[in-house]
Amino acid sequence: MIAQSCMIEGCANQSYAPAGTGTVCKDHFADFVTWRRKKGGKGMFRKYNGMTMVERDAIVVEWQGTLAVPH
């Protein structure tokens, strides 16, 4: 298995969990889950659970837009 890094630009941490068709590190995964919870509560978790990986990409892109871009 090839070790991947986090898909977030500027982050070199090792991948931890899937985010759409990409992977994120543990810190970004926790941030993503927190954002989803704030966005729609338990309903968002059920909706996300029923989506295909490609459909999840749109949610991940929306979340990525909320992250601060490193300088």
Side-chain angles (χ1 to χ4, degrees):
M1 180 178 204
I2 299 171
Q4 296 177 329
S5 61
C6 182
M7 66 186 259
I8 303 303
E9 184 178 343
C11 183
N13 294 332
Q14 187 174 0
S15 64
Y16 173 75
T21 54
T23 57
V24 292
C25 67
K26 191 172 187 176
D27 291 337
H28 283 118
F29 180 72
D31 183 63
F32 180 53
V33 171
T34 301
W35 176 83
R36 278 188 354 215
R37 186 177 299 130
K38 288 179 182 176
K39 181 174 171 60
K42 290 182 181 179
M44 179 61 168
F45 278 88
R46 288 188 199 106
K47 177 183 175 183
Y48 191 82
N49 189 41
M51 295 174 151
T52 66
M53 292 303 276
V54 174
E55 290 172 328
R56 291 178 183 192
D57 282 346
I59 302 296
V60 173
V61 168
E62 184 180 344
W63 163 70
Q64 280 181 302
T66 68
L67 298 176
V69 177
H71 293 90

